[in-house]
Amino acid sequence: MFIKYIGHSAFYIKTDKYGILIDPFITQNPVANFNENENTITDILVTHGHADHLGDAIPISKRNNAQITAVFELANYCAERGAQANGINMGGKIQFPWGTARFLPAFHSSTTPNGTYAGMPTSIILEIEGKKIYHAGDTCLNQEMKTVGELYTPDLALLPIGSKFTMDIEEASISAQWLKAKKVIPMHYNTFEPIKADTQDFKTKLEKQNIEVIILKPSESIEL
Ligand code: NI
Ligand code: MN
């Protein structure tokens, strides 16, 4: 599979036949680089209801006949607006033709773009082609990450580092250790002025702990 960084917390994962979007914040995202028409999209996973994560999920779902999987209240919001939506809750392990996704806690808040309650914010552990990928969503450092490390030991962790709304570099470095992540891609930084972060500082910190940091520019991808 390959994993493409779209920008902010948006990623696109492509397996042989399937294409999975996570937190597809694209049209309003000043750094996004992704052409929907050039990519197969079969599923959309959304960590929480904030506009910089729900993003274009509803229109993309409708145009591509792709199901949105999200926490129950957020899935209902999407379904009411005409998207195919699969409402789940934390702890749920969802089987897809391409692998599994288990939704886990994130410590944050979650409202829909019209300000209504969107259920609990989440993180997601994916298992695809025998590899485990952890998308932290928006979160602070939290002890649940130790559980993720113990039970799942992600091959790749996608971690927010921008501070203000999420972990900063200090906390994200600790979370990478707690997660026992083999590789880390930082996210949720430099999209807007208030979440500026020095990725080189993050890389240096983690490399001292023998954790590989891969800094991707929007549209860049890695093979996993
Ligand atoms: Ni948020
Ligand atoms: Mn956010």
Side-chain angles (χ1 to χ4, degrees):
M1 85 187 97
F2 73 79
I3 297 157
K4 181 183 277 191
Y5 185 45
I6 296 173
H8 200 57
S9 294
F11 287 85
Y12 174 70
I13 301 174
K14 181 70 178 56
T15 68
D16 52 350
K17 282 192 276 188
Y18 301 96
I20 305 116
L21 276 175
I22 306 175
D23 286 357
F25 171 50
I26 299 169
T27 52
Q28 301 298 312
N29 179 349
V31 300
N33 190 340
F34 184 75
N35 187 342
E36 188 185 330
N37 300 321
E38 289 171 3
N39 294 282
T40 307
I41 301 163
T42 52
D43 277 286
I44 304 164
L45 309 180
V46 183
T47 60
H48 65 291
H50 290 153
D52 60 320
H53 298 263
L54 179 63
D56 305 276
I58 294 170
I60 292 174
S61 165
K62 291 185 197 171
R63 287 193 292 263
N64 295 272
N65 200 24
Q67 189 177 55
I68 297 171
T69 300
V71 85
F72 183 75
E73 292 83 353
L74 179 56
N76 283 348
Y77 174 87
C78 297
E80 281 162 11
R81 281 152 187 82
Q84 285 183 55
N86 182 20
I88 51 83
N89 222 316
M90 246 110 38
K93 184 180 185 181
I94 319 302
Q95 184 73 53
F96 294 94
W98 41 264
T100 61
R102 192 191 291 274
F103 284 70
L104 296 169
F107 286 67
H108 190 63
S109 62
S110 185
T111 49
T112 64
N114 69 13
T116 55
Y117 176 64
M120 295 284 281
T122 65
S123 57
I124 310 170
I125 183 93
L126 299 145
E127 188 162 357
I128 307 172
E129 296 172 358
K131 301 274 185 182
K132 296 186 187 108
I133 303 163
Y134 177 71
H135 189 297
D138 277 356
T139 189
C140 63
L141 182 67
N142 66 79
Q143 296 265 331
E144 297 297 328
M145 289 164 167
K146 292 186 177 174
T147 307
V148 173
E150 213 171 283
L151 298 182
Y152 308 113
T153 320
D155 295 284
L156 173 67
L158 314 173
L159 302 177
I161 63 163
S163 197
K164 182 146 170 132
F165 308 107
T166 68
M167 301 191 282
D168 59 8
I169 283 170
E170 295 287 334
E171 285 197 344
S173 304
I174 298 165
S175 81
Q177 291 176 63
W178 287 1
L179 290 161
K180 299 179 184 158
K182 296 188 185 82
K183 295 178 183 180
V184 171
I185 298 175
M187 64 177 183
H188 212 272
Y189 66 94
N190 293 1
T191 323
F192 309 106
E193 192 60 33
I195 56 169
K196 275 219 171 304
D198 180 354
T199 48
Q200 207 49 50
D201 181 24
F202 183 59
K203 195 176 166 84
T204 307
K205 275 194 169 57
L206 281 187
E207 281 175 354
K208 281 185 194 145
Q209 301 156 27
N210 292 319
I211 298 172
E212 186 186 348
V213 173
I214 304 158
I215 298 162
L216 295 180
K217 292 194 186 83
S219 87
E220 287 182 344
S221 58
I222 59 159
E223 286 286 337
L224 191 70

